[in-house]
Amino acid sequence: MFQLILKQIKRHFLFLILVIPLTFYTFNPIVDLRLGEWDYFELEYQLRVIRSSNPILFYLTSQYGTAYAMIGIASYIFGPNENAYFFLNVGLRFLASVSIYLLISWWSKVKVTGIIAALFFLSSAPGLENTLWVIHFHAYASIILFCVSLYFWRSFHNNPSGNLLKESLFCFFAALYISHLRIYALPLIIFAGELYFFVIDIGQTTAKKLKILHFLLLLIIIFIYFVITSTKVTTEVLRLVSPQVLLSSLVNGYPPIIHSFILLNSNTILYYSNIGALINLPLTNIQTALSLLIPIISIPTFIFALIFLTRKKFLIGFAFLPALIYPLTLLLIYSTLNWQNTAVITTLIGGTFLLYLIPLNLIILKINKGYWELFMLGVLILTTHLLLPWAIFPQDENNIQSAFYAVSRYYTVPSMGVGLILGVIFLLSYRSIKKIRYLVLYRSLSFKNIFIPLFIAVPIFIFIPVLINYHLINTRQIIISRVEADDKKSVDYLWKVTKPFFEQVKNKKEEKLVYYEGELTDKEKYVTENILRHKLTQIGFYNPVQINNVIFLNDKDKLRSILLEKNKIFNWDYIFEDFFAIQYTKNDAFDIKQKILEELNL
Amino acid sequence: MKLRSAIFFKTILLFMIFITTLLLIRSIKPNVPLLRESFSLCNLGNLESWSILSETKPLFYKSVSLEGDRPFFEIIYPKKSSGSIFSCKTLIPVQKLYEAKTINIELITNQKINFKIGIFRRGGSPPLGKPATVEPSFKDEIRTITFYLDSKEGPKINWLTGDYDEIRFEWSNPNLEENLTIQILNVSLR
């Protein structure tokens, strides 16, 4: 067994040596392990569900059921241990990157492609934010299932057999049912893949019936999936943008929603929410940045287009047109891009990358069909996972998935797609550079080694800004903002001043009633009533499933009614030992039990 | 067959390139939609479409619709009320909202109030800027308040999710010395 593990470590040594430090590096230098307000809310809610009469039914029928089940099980096991959730999340993040690496290395038969995809996925800022918001660990579980499902699906098409058919269908169903929340576009990707195989298999006779059966069963599963998910949708139906307005905007060019679509995808390359810091560092303002970046980006694009046109590859040359005119259109309409002008650099770099995918698609198809499949898989993962939830899914808030607000959890799976695209580009660039003849550079620019300039351009345009952004700015900013988040501050302060009241309590298993007063904000009231009881479990009160044994309230009538209802008014033991009254001030807290008892006329 | 699929693939790609280029160029010179005529909202002559939403109740409210005269809605609050919300149910088509730049309200009030308006879709509302201060009208002088639909903080495209169904009017003034009368004469998109 030990030897087997050692063999596997040796086999994937390069991957492990790069990925393990990166998994932990991103959390340097400040590791904040404390849970936030929302984390506590989710944990408490799930504990209540788990204690309810029929939790299984809830998990099977609610819209977020399976994700909730994971949180519920974790909170049942870990209780109030904040570090445990954090390491669970980091562990799943690592496993997700392993599954991406294994899938893509197996598919492309080259390890380096898988390593690059996994590295990009690990270092992406949205993924990082997902990890720091610990309750979102189920997004990583989704990615693992996504990879497993794709592996078996592709295996079946490589070598159709009855066993693989069953495995492929089972994994597809499991991935969809267990984690449809974050991998919405899996049915679409599989369907596109089936269509592709249908076209290239025309004329072939091997296992034709099996493939048709596979396709039909997949369709049935997709149908069941839609029935299940549509019955699960319980929230108020508010779509993000009405289809009618969307179409009008595209046709009229106002508002310039095409740039919003591009921004949506660009966020995976350079994460918009922290981009302000990147602009302030080397450049004084956005316009200067634009005027510097546009020639740097446009001139190579023009040269590429010219090379192909002079070599009579007209379609490829023409395919550079959107990427060529895009920076110029951005410069011209920059002032009207009201809502997204802080994200204009993201849109420029990410958008150019996105539009380069059109000519790259053609070039890679000519070079190697196998890599083209992988490349297209990356493109589909990137675009569909962003556009589908944005355009189709009903929402209960207007802006939650808007292109104008980068919501990190929606970018976790798409960053895997970008990693995959970069992996393929890097591999082909590397292969073409091996063929370079240094002295006759121009002559060596044959069709296959057009990747030489790309090999130079890719690091400049993509890797360098990504590395600067993610590791020097975003990481620090995100972590610092999490550390300084208001909810955590108020939790710390309120817990610090409340803790002394409970430290000397002897009977920690009895029910406690706490009345509090003071000029607290709504958020602080929420923290007092919902989070402090979780904190009490850290100093020996209850076990995690008994947190409702303590009630914090600041309503005197309610206090009186609870005391009357429980017939505790003349139970002096209870009043002296299990009832508390606290007055919060700005810096401290005081005991006001006597005063409250007098006011209640007890 | 192979040749056919290659032609098919190339045609799709050419079409995609063409459309992308066209959409990008279109954004440089957009066809900014315009609402040619102002679009009236709220049925001022129909009392059934109006309701009071906050706990502060008015003394009474009425819809006046006389032949040959402009219909209006009148609401009177007792003195010492500090503020209230009332609403009217009305269809606001999303296409009209897309074309409109502002939402305007013509009113007459006998006291200085802070006045705000909100459009709602199934109880959800987009931000429409800060409340406006309305001075009392002398000799029934009509006051017009304008709220801009598009703003940097809440871009219109973000909340154009479909048709809206309600308009809420919110006023506040903590020092009402006498009964407050508000007459709403017109609510429109422009």
Side-chain angles (χ1 to χ4, degrees):
Chain A
M1 183 69 187
F2 179 71
Q3 274 190 339
L4 190 75
I5 295 169
L6 209 67
K7 201 179 157 192
Q8 288 300 322
I9 290 175
K10 251 184 186 174
R11 202 173 153 198
H12 303 293
F13 185 71
L14 185 63
F15 169 75
L16 292 172
I17 203 124
L18 286 169
V19 162
I20 292 176
L22 194 63
T23 306
F24 292 96
Y25 167 73
T26 36
F27 304 103
N28 214 15
I30 311 154
V31 180
D32 179 28
L33 301 178
R34 292 171 301 165
L35 299 179
E37 183 190 316
W38 187 250
D39 298 332
Y40 277 115
F41 172 77
E42 286 283 4
L43 292 177
E44 192 195 325
Y45 180 57
Q46 290 320 311
L47 278 173
R48 266 189 234 156
V49 172
I50 261 193
R51 283 188 307 158
S52 67
S53 57
N54 206 341
I56 303 288
L57 189 71
F58 171 82
Y59 289 136
L60 287 177
T61 54
S62 84
Q63 193 189 358
Y64 292 82
T66 42
Y68 279 154
M70 289 183 212
I71 299 170
I73 293 165
S75 59
Y76 197 81
I77 297 169
F78 300 135
N81 187 347
E82 294 175 340
N83 301 358
Y85 297 102
F86 187 81
F87 284 106
L88 170 72
N89 198 315
V90 173
L92 280 172
R93 175 185 161 90
F94 174 71
L95 284 180
S97 73
V98 170
S99 59
I100 292 170
Y101 160 74
L102 289 176
L103 173 78
I104 293 167
S105 309
W106 167 81
W107 195 319
S108 66
K109 299 185 182 69
V110 184
K111 276 182 197 163
V112 73
T113 327
I115 290 174
I116 287 175
L119 284 182
F120 186 88
F121 169 76
L122 267 183
S123 64
S124 72
L128 174 70
E129 209 174 317
N130 217 64
T131 309
L132 286 168
W133 191 355
V134 289
I135 223 70
H136 277 290
F137 58 82
H138 54 84
Y140 296 118
S142 302
I143 290 171
I144 296 168
L145 283 165
F146 183 72
C147 291
V148 171
S149 171
L150 280 177
Y151 169 79
F152 281 104
W153 174 76
R154 190 67 180 88
S155 298
F156 172 79
H157 279 285
N158 277 352
N159 192 9
S161 72
N163 278 343
L164 276 170
L165 176 127
K166 280 181 222 157
E167 283 161 359
S168 163
L169 292 172
F170 175 75
C171 289
F172 180 66
F173 183 76
L176 270 189
Y177 193 77
I178 294 171
S179 56
H180 71 273
L181 261 183
R182 294 287 163 255
I183 51 172
Y184 332 84
L186 179 64
L188 195 76
I189 291 169
I190 294 280
F191 190 72
E194 286 291 321
L195 207 68
Y196 167 73
F197 281 114
F198 176 76
V199 173
I200 62 164
D201 285 352
I202 286 175
Q204 283 185 14
T205 48
T206 49
K208 208 170 184 178
K209 278 183 189 169
L210 211 58
K211 281 181 183 173
I212 290 171
L213 182 69
H214 181 245
F215 177 67
L216 290 176
L217 290 172
L218 278 176
L219 276 185
I220 292 169
I221 292 174
I222 290 173
F223 178 72
I224 295 170
Y225 163 72
F226 277 118
V227 171
I228 291 170
T229 48
S230 59
T231 54
K232 279 180 176 179
V233 175
T234 50
T235 49
E236 173 74 353
V237 179
L238 275 175
R239 287 172 203 284
L240 194 73
V241 175
S242 86
Q244 189 187 352
V245 168
L246 193 62
L247 205 65
S248 305
S249 308
L250 280 172
V251 172
N252 291 329
Y254 179 86
I257 206 159
I258 180 80
H259 292 275
S260 306
F261 276 138
I262 291 172
L263 172 62
L264 199 65
N265 288 286
S266 307
N267 271 324
T268 43
I269 307 288
L270 274 176
Y271 196 42
Y272 149 56
S273 70
N274 291 74
I275 198 69
L278 179 69
I279 299 158
N280 291 336
L281 272 184
L283 305 159
T284 47
N285 58 41
I286 297 168
Q287 265 181 330
T288 324
L290 272 183
S291 48
L292 277 173
L293 277 171
I294 286 175
I296 296 174
I297 289 173
S298 294
I299 293 169
T301 317
F302 182 69
I303 295 170
F304 292 145
L306 215 60
I307 289 173
F308 285 106
L309 288 173
T310 51
R311 278 154 207 270
K312 292 182 182 170
K313 304 285 177 196
F314 294 114
L315 186 62
I316 301 175
F318 184 56
F320 277 99
L321 190 62
L324 189 65
I325 63 160
Y326 175 66
L328 299 172
T329 52
L330 202 61
L331 185 68
L332 287 170
I333 66 152
Y334 160 66
S335 57
T336 60
L337 280 175
N338 256 336
W339 62 84
Q340 65 180 69
N341 57 12
T342 49
V344 79
I345 304 293
T346 297
T347 324
L348 175 68
I349 296 173
T352 310
F353 170 76
L354 194 74
L355 294 169
Y356 256 82
L357 297 180
I358 305 173
L360 274 174
N361 172 20
L362 280 166
I363 298 169
I364 296 172
L365 181 65
K366 290 234 170 188
I367 293 173
N368 187 321
K369 218 172 182 178
Y371 291 135
W372 180 78
E373 283 173 16
L374 211 54
F375 175 82
M376 284 311 287
L377 177 70
V379 174
L380 277 176
I381 292 175
L382 165 67
T383 50
T384 52
H385 278 94
L386 286 169
L387 295 181
L388 264 190
W390 187 80
I392 293 172
F393 284 106
Q395 291 303 309
D396 52 3
E397 278 180 59
N398 293 339
N399 298 331
I400 194 113
Q401 284 174 351
S402 165
F404 321 111
Y405 301 88
V407 183
S408 63
R409 57 190 180 280
Y410 296 105
Y411 290 90
T412 321
V413 177
S415 63
M416 170 189 167
V418 182
L420 182 47
I421 295 167
L422 290 181
V424 174
I425 296 175
F426 185 87
L427 180 73
L428 294 176
S429 305
Y430 178 71
R431 286 193 176 170
S432 69
I433 209 166
K434 276 164 94 179
K435 294 176 188 169
I436 195 167
R437 290 178 190 166
Y438 296 99
L439 296 174
V440 277
L441 186 64
Y442 180 74
R443 273 190 205 168
S444 73
L445 282 180
S446 67
F447 187 78
K448 281 197 176 180
N449 50 33
I450 185 61
F451 276 94
I452 298 158
L454 274 181
F455 184 69
I456 300 159
V458 165
I460 292 170
F461 294 144
I462 296 148
F463 280 118
I464 292 172
V466 165
L467 285 176
I468 292 170
N469 186 39
Y470 290 159
H471 292 296
L472 295 181
I473 300 153
N474 265 347
T475 314
R476 271 176 175 272
Q477 279 209 348
I478 291 170
I479 291 173
I480 289 167
S481 68
R482 291 277 300 184
V483 171
E484 289 176 352
D486 280 340
D487 59 327
K488 290 198 173 184
K489 263 188 190 169
S490 56
V491 171
D492 280 358
Y493 152 67
L494 288 164
W495 177 230
K496 193 181 134 201
V497 294
T498 313
K499 197 175 167 188
F501 286 87
F502 294 91
E503 276 175 332
Q504 302 306 322
V505 173
K506 284 174 194 163
N507 193 348
K508 293 181 173 177
K509 304 295 170 202
E510 283 294 320
E511 287 184 12
K512 305 279 181 269
L513 188 62
V514 189
Y515 173 80
Y516 71 93
E517 276 182 358
E519 286 179 14
L520 300 182
T521 61
D522 286 348
K523 201 165 205 174
E524 285 167 340
K525 279 184 184 168
Y526 176 85
V527 168
T528 312
E529 287 173 19
N530 297 290
I531 295 179
L532 289 185
R533 50 191 175 162
H534 285 276
K535 287 284 184 184
L536 281 174
T537 56
Q538 291 173 3
I539 55 166
F541 279 81
Y542 326 111
N543 66 43
V545 291
Q546 293 171 327
I547 49 163
N548 280 352
N549 280 3
V550 61
I551 299 168
F552 280 81
L553 51 89
N554 82 334
D555 183 342
K556 272 186 199 150
D557 294 336
K558 209 172 169 188
L559 174 69
R560 185 195 292 274
S561 68
I562 291 178
L563 286 173
L564 284 170
E565 194 183 301
K566 297 198 172 179
N567 204 14
K568 299 283 189 191
I569 283 186
F570 299 111
N571 184 346
W572 295 109
D573 284 348
Y574 179 85
I575 295 289
F576 283 116
E577 285 181 14
D578 300 326
F579 170 66
F580 301 84
I582 302 170
Q583 165 92 43
Y584 289 108
T585 63
K586 276 193 174 172
N587 307 311
D588 212 345
F590 302 101
D591 189 352
I592 50 162
K593 187 149 76 173
Q594 201 57 39
K595 184 186 140 208
I596 295 299
L597 290 175
E598 281 168 16
E599 281 179 19
L600 290 172
N601 289 330
L602 296 173
Chain B
M1 194 65 215
K2 215 175 176 184
L3 187 71
R4 263 190 209 170
S5 61
I7 290 169
F8 178 66
F9 180 72
K10 281 180 183 175
T11 317
I12 289 177
L13 251 167
L14 260 172
F15 182 71
M16 264 184 64
I17 296 163
F18 180 69
I19 289 287
T20 317
T21 314
L22 205 69
L23 291 179
L24 285 173
I25 291 171
R26 191 73 174 117
S27 71
I28 303 172
K29 225 177 175 188
N31 174 19
V32 181
L34 279 174
L35 198 62
R36 295 191 186 282
E37 298 173 347
S38 64
F39 182 78
S40 284
L41 303 166
C42 284
N43 194 344
L44 297 166
N46 178 8
L47 196 62
E48 280 179 15
S49 64
W50 294 81
S51 55
I52 311 300
L53 298 176
S54 62
E55 284 177 9
T56 313
K57 299 291 176 204
L59 290 173
F60 71 90
Y61 58 103
K62 64 180 179 186
S63 280
V64 180
S65 174
L66 296 171
E67 218 171 285
D69 224 347
R70 276 171 83 176
F72 65 90
F73 171 79
E74 187 176 83
I75 188 160
I76 298 179
Y77 282 93
K79 59 185 171 185
K80 290 184 182 168
S81 318
S82 57
S84 179
I85 303 171
F86 54 96
S87 81
C88 81
K89 290 273 173 204
T90 180
L91 177 73
I92 316 171
V94 69
Q95 192 62 30
K96 297 284 178 199
L97 274 175
Y98 171 64
E99 290 166 1
K101 298 277 175 293
T102 58
I103 184 162
N104 308 294
I105 169 163
E106 288 175 17
L107 57 88
I108 295 173
T109 162
N110 64 343
Q111 285 178 76
K112 187 178 175 180
I113 48 169
N114 289 324
F115 199 82
K116 202 184 170 187
I117 184 170
I119 55 170
F120 281 75
R121 173 178 154 79
R122 301 181 197 185
S125 165
L128 287 187
K130 290 173 187 169
T133 307
V134 189
E135 296 292 336
S137 310
F138 299 105
K139 294 177 188 171
D140 287 351
E141 188 188 351
I142 298 170
R143 306 274 178 208
T144 306
I145 315 170
T146 301
F147 292 94
Y148 287 91
L149 296 175
D150 214 355
S151 71
K152 198 175 173 182
E153 291 73 34
K156 192 166 66 167
I157 191 74
N158 250 8
W159 48 262
L160 288 175
T161 48
D163 295 347
Y164 279 67
D165 51 21
E166 187 187 358
I167 298 182
R168 289 185 193 170
F169 305 87
E170 187 182 345
W171 67 267
S172 67
N173 179 356
N175 308 310
L176 274 192
E177 285 158 5
E178 53 185 284
N179 288 357
L180 170 74
T181 310
I182 302 173
Q183 273 185 19
I184 292 177
L185 304 169
N186 189 22
V187 187
S188 61
L189 289 174
R190 188 73 177 94

